[in-house]
Amino acid sequence: MSFISGASDFLLHSYHRSFNGFVAKLTEGEKLKLEGKDGVVSVFASRKKQLQTTRSWDFMGFPQTVTRSTYESDVIIGMFDTGIWPESASFNDDGFGPPPTKWKGTCQGNSNFTCNNKVVGARYYHSERELLTGEIASPRDTRGHGTHTASIAAGGIVEKASFLGIASGAARGGVPSARIAVYKICWLDGCSDADILAAFDDAIADGVDIISLSVGLTPVNYLKDTIAIGAFHAMKNGILTSTSAGNQGPSSETILNFAPWTLSVAASTIDRNFISKVKLGNGAIYEGRTINAFDMENTMYPIIYGGDAPNATDRENQELSMFCTPGSLNKTLVEGKIVICDDELARTEGAKNAGAVGSILRFGFNRIAEIYDLPASVISISDQADILKYLESNSEPTATILKSTEYKDELAPSVASFSSRGPNPITRDIIKPDLTAPGVNILAAWTEAAPTLGSDIIPFFMISGTSMSCPHVSAAAAYVKSFHPTWSPDAIKSALMTTAYTMNADTNPDAEFGYGSGHINPAKAADPGLVYDAGEIDYVKFLCGHGYSNKQLQIITGDDSTCSGGANATVWDLNYPSFALSTKYKESITRTFHRTVTNVGSARSSYKAIVNAPAGLQTQVEPAVLSFKSVGEKQSFVVTIKATMIKPMISGSLVWDNGFHKVRSPIVAHITNF
């Protein structure tokens, strides 16, 4: 059984040999009494984690006409998020038969929420407090995030979808025939650890095939990472967990979800971007970055600089008027005008509250386009300087902001600036993130409970984040699963990683620590040729080799696993589809990696090792040729890598090539201070 009871700040992580579940809530006194008792794996503080289309699937070479498996409708994706808006056209169940017989879940709805043959189940978790205003004790989504991610992964095809006429086209998920199971774990104040663990417990028992989880907070050790613990239990039960890398980039070592038994997903751009032009009264036009759905109908409005309109009644905020922070602007001076602001971080709330009809914001670096709640354009520092000169030279300056138009981004895909970077803060010799996928300006379904612009109901909305890239990979994993129902989570992960598109390191200076093995290529992943497979025992050996005691190991495994009997294995022997080694500046290091690949391609095939090893990276592979006589046959090999570190990072690759399949694994040597 699994249980959550009481109200407190601590979680009891317990296990029973016949039980996959985890958690009960405890007081401080109960915590002290239970620590060290039989069956109690760990007690730790419960924290709140945070949430992290039409074009994206076509962009990655995955059109509607891609070959589909007849098993796709039997695949169930568990969405851990803010719930779902089941009435969205993306979740229509026309043409769907009943759920597959493996489904054991439930629809925890009410008179205002029902499941169907598309959304086969839904649960909600709210263990730690009373509901806040605007929250609903139901799997229904009142924020939009969960509806958005679910439709990216498995939304049905919806023709003529758009965000108020922008980015119009046919909206669809990666696996539109797959089923969705909803686990509402996130609310207005975040996502409770207790609720996350309970959702893992239920999803495993319910019979989901893939778990998609766009949630994270701060990097923590595997021992206290509820997502890592829950995902380990899912992996034991044959379920792959796809997680978002986080939105704390571009600084290094900011990745949030990095347990090696999960799939960690970074965010990258697609080739569709948006500009919103600012037109001045003198005819000059400047291009800004926003997704502006408002149409000012080319009407010219007076413009004013926020720094010239301070709120004299609020002295504390007077100096902030240049940034247009809420309360800092003089309503009399700003009302009915377009206001120019020195900073985009204050967004448009201050300008809107002061009665402005539009806002021109300034940024100092290349950034993604966003949506604002009034006409807005985000321009460069130099363009803002030109506009301010126009204000100074004209007694009645005017401007208008035009509705956004699309343009093609020739540099896509590139890793988004916000996407969290590696290296892995706990296990530095495993590359994280694993992959990147579209996560910028993704159009997908939205909830009608959260009007976005004024009082308008918007069925499709565009947002950015690794929360959007994660369900792209979840869908790709479900696509592979539909062709290979018996494949393990690690076999699916390997297929996605080794078939990924290579990324341009010149436009992505963080290289593999930004994009992992590359950009997902779902169509290719269904036929990878070879896979690096692993399972529970491999990760137990990895944790033992990591120096974990039996007690620490059991915190993660939830059973009576031990590190005795030669269970230890080094990180370099984990059968991972990538290779990493770290050392200090100007030092040389040699590492030996033992790997095994399984033939999942043609019965008789021979693969040759092709190594890309730039200066400073010496790589040997033994044997250099792998010959297979049957499908399912395994072959082992050894990779010896020597690196001399002068640069912070050196990247290479190993490709097993049989003339048709190219099974690629990145090789990274990097400098660490730890």
Side-chain angles (χ1 to χ4, degrees):
M1 58 175 287
S2 176
F3 56 95
I4 298 179
S5 60
S8 70
D9 294 325
F10 293 91
L11 299 181
L12 165 67
H13 171 208
S14 64
Y15 72 86
H16 188 275
R17 293 190 182 192
S18 61
F19 167 53
N20 291 321
F22 315 104
V23 64
K25 297 180 65 181
L26 306 172
T27 64
E28 173 70 31
E30 291 169 333
K31 168 184 178 288
L32 294 174
K33 290 179 181 179
L34 283 168
E35 285 181 324
K37 296 287 187 181
D38 289 343
V40 176
V41 180
S42 64
V43 182
F44 51 87
S46 176
R47 306 187 305 160
K48 288 285 178 65
K49 291 180 169 60
Q50 300 300 318
L51 292 164
Q52 303 279 356
T53 74
T54 51
R55 176 62 192 151
S56 57
W57 293 109
D58 288 333
F59 171 66
M60 68 181 82
F62 196 67
Q64 289 189 30
T65 56
V66 71
T67 301
R68 298 280 178 180
S69 165
T70 56
Y71 184 75
E72 185 173 303
S73 65
D74 285 344
V75 177
I76 304 170
I77 303 179
M79 301 299 304
F80 286 27
D81 215 297
T82 64
I84 199 168
W85 190 262
E87 294 83 5
S88 168
S90 294
F91 310 124
N92 189 302
D93 69 347
D94 288 350
F96 279 82
T101 55
K102 67 182 176 183
W103 174 246
K104 307 300 180 185
T106 187
C107 187
Q108 192 181 0
N110 50 41
S111 59
N112 295 320
F113 183 99
T114 57
C115 298
N116 59 21
N117 286 329
K118 174 67 174 179
V119 181
V120 296
R123 300 177 185 266
Y124 68 95
Y125 306 83
H126 198 271
S127 63
E128 296 198 347
R129 55 160 177 77
E130 298 297 321
L131 291 173
L132 300 177
T133 301
E135 294 181 333
I136 302 174
S138 161
R140 183 171 294 282
D141 182 13
T142 59
R143 297 185 62 183
H145 193 276
T147 301
H148 200 269
T149 55
S151 65
I152 290 171
I157 300 170
V158 181
E159 301 290 346
K160 298 180 181 179
S162 72
F163 168 61
L164 298 176
I166 296 175
S168 60
R172 62 187 172 95
V175 278
S177 297
R179 318 295 179 123
I180 297 169
V182 176
Y183 300 85
K184 183 177 178 179
I185 57 170
C186 297
W187 304 78
L188 291 175
D189 63 346
C191 321
S192 162
D193 277 336
D195 294 343
I196 291 170
L197 288 174
F200 268 110
D201 184 23
D202 285 337
I204 292 167
D206 288 346
V208 305
D209 295 291
I210 306 292
I211 290 174
S212 185
L213 202 159
S214 295
V215 169
L217 185 57
T218 54
V220 293
N221 191 288
Y222 306 132
L223 302 174
K224 298 187 182 299
D225 184 345
T226 50
I227 293 176
I229 292 170
F232 192 97
H233 287 250
M235 177 270 298
K236 287 170 57 176
N237 286 274
I239 303 165
L240 176 63
T241 302
S242 173
T243 61
S244 54
N247 301 328
Q248 283 66 46
S251 298
S252 64
E253 205 173 311
T254 50
I255 186 167
L256 301 183
N257 294 308
F258 44 79
W261 46 87
T262 66
L263 194 51
S264 305
V265 186
S268 50
T269 59
I270 59 175
D271 62 348
R272 180 183 63 196
N273 215 327
F274 303 90
I275 58 171
S276 54
K277 296 179 180 179
V278 175
K279 183 179 180 180
L280 302 183
N282 64 2
I285 295 177
Y286 299 90
E287 292 186 351
R289 288 278 186 91
T290 52
I291 302 171
N292 176 41
F294 296 98
D295 192 348
M296 301 185 90
E297 299 179 345
N298 217 27
T299 302
M300 305 303 289
Y301 292 88
I303 55 176
I304 189 170
Y305 174 52
D308 293 334
N311 182 1
T313 63
D314 189 344
R315 293 184 178 180
E316 184 178 343
N317 282 324
Q318 278 187 39
E319 296 181 357
L320 298 176
S321 65
M322 66 180 69
F323 303 117
C324 302
T325 57
S328 67
L329 295 171
N330 185 319
K331 186 173 183 178
T332 302
L333 296 176
V334 170
E335 192 168 19
K337 299 178 181 178
I338 295 174
V339 62
I340 302 171
C341 308
D342 276 350
D343 189 6
E344 61 167 314
L345 296 180
R347 301 189 68 79
T348 54
E349 182 183 355
K352 185 176 183 179
N353 291 347
V357 296
S359 183
I360 301 172
L361 304 157
R362 185 193 76 183
F363 69 92
F365 56 92
N366 193 19
R367 60 180 300 283
I368 64 170
E370 292 189 57
I371 296 172
Y372 297 88
D373 58 358
L374 80 169
S377 185
V378 182
I379 60 174
S380 68
I381 293 173
S382 60
D383 285 350
Q384 189 210 40
D386 287 347
I387 295 175
L388 291 177
K389 288 179 183 178
Y390 165 69
L391 263 69
E392 294 171 359
S393 63
N394 195 304
S395 59
E396 295 183 356
T398 59
T400 190
I401 301 171
L402 305 182
K403 189 172 181 177
S404 289
T405 56
E406 297 181 24
Y407 73 93
K408 187 170 184 178
D409 182 357
E410 300 290 350
L411 297 179
S414 59
V415 178
S417 60
F418 61 76
S419 185
S420 291
R421 268 59 167 182
N424 186 326
I426 303 298
T427 310
R428 292 181 174 275
D429 287 0
I430 292 180
I431 299 172
K432 288 286 182 173
D434 294 305
L435 290 163
T436 189
V440 176
N441 299 331
I442 305 301
L443 181 78
W446 200 246
T447 176
E448 292 185 14
T452 307
L453 301 176
S455 59
D456 291 335
I457 299 299
I458 300 175
F460 289 87
F461 195 56
M462 277 192 288
I463 49 179
S464 301
T466 55
S467 286
M468 284 64 254
S469 57
C470 172
H472 278 93
V473 172
S474 305
Y479 179 73
V480 175
K481 179 80 172 179
S482 73
F483 285 95
H484 308 285
T486 62
W487 277 14
S488 71
D490 276 73
I492 296 172
K493 178 168 67 174
S494 173
L496 292 169
M497 291 173 64
T498 60
T499 59
Y501 293 109
T502 56
M503 297 279 284
N504 187 343
D506 292 336
T507 55
N508 296 281
D510 295 298
E512 283 81 4
F513 292 151
Y515 51 67
S517 293
H519 191 282
I520 61 165
N521 183 356
K524 196 81 169 178
D527 181 21
L530 305 174
V531 293
Y532 294 77
D533 205 355
E536 179 185 2
I537 187 60
D538 300 283
Y539 289 111
V540 168
K541 290 180 178 180
F542 157 78
L543 291 167
C544 292
H546 218 285
Y548 283 57
S549 67
N550 289 340
K551 182 178 180 180
Q552 291 173 325
L553 173 67
Q554 292 165 6
I555 291 175
I556 298 170
T557 65
D559 56 25
D560 54 4
S561 296
T562 67
C563 290
S564 60
N568 293 357
T570 69
V571 60
W572 309 289
D573 288 335
L574 180 63
N575 204 37
Y576 215 73
S578 60
F579 303 85
L581 61 162
S582 59
T583 189
K584 296 180 179 179
Y585 178 59
K586 288 189 176 180
E587 289 192 1
S588 295
I589 185 172
T590 300
R591 293 293 186 201
T592 300
F593 300 81
H594 294 86
R595 293 289 191 269
T596 299
V597 287
T598 304
N599 179 27
V600 294
S602 54
R604 302 184 69 87
S605 188
S606 182
Y607 288 81
K608 180 180 179 181
I610 300 174
V611 174
N612 170 29
L617 198 65
Q618 300 177 34
T619 304
Q620 290 185 324
V621 182
E622 182 62 36
V625 175
L626 300 177
S627 295
F628 297 91
K629 297 180 181 179
S630 61
V631 175
E633 182 182 351
K634 299 179 183 293
Q635 294 274 356
S636 297
F637 61 95
V638 177
V639 180
T640 304
I641 303 172
K642 180 179 180 181
T644 302
M645 301 306 299
I646 298 178
K647 298 189 299 183
M649 180 179 181
I650 307 174
S651 298
S653 65
L654 165 63
V655 178
W656 287 106
D657 188 344
N658 71 345
F660 178 75
H661 298 101
K662 298 183 187 303
V663 187
R664 182 182 181 277
S665 295
I667 299 172
V668 171
H670 64 106
I671 293 173
T672 177
N673 294 323
F674 297 90

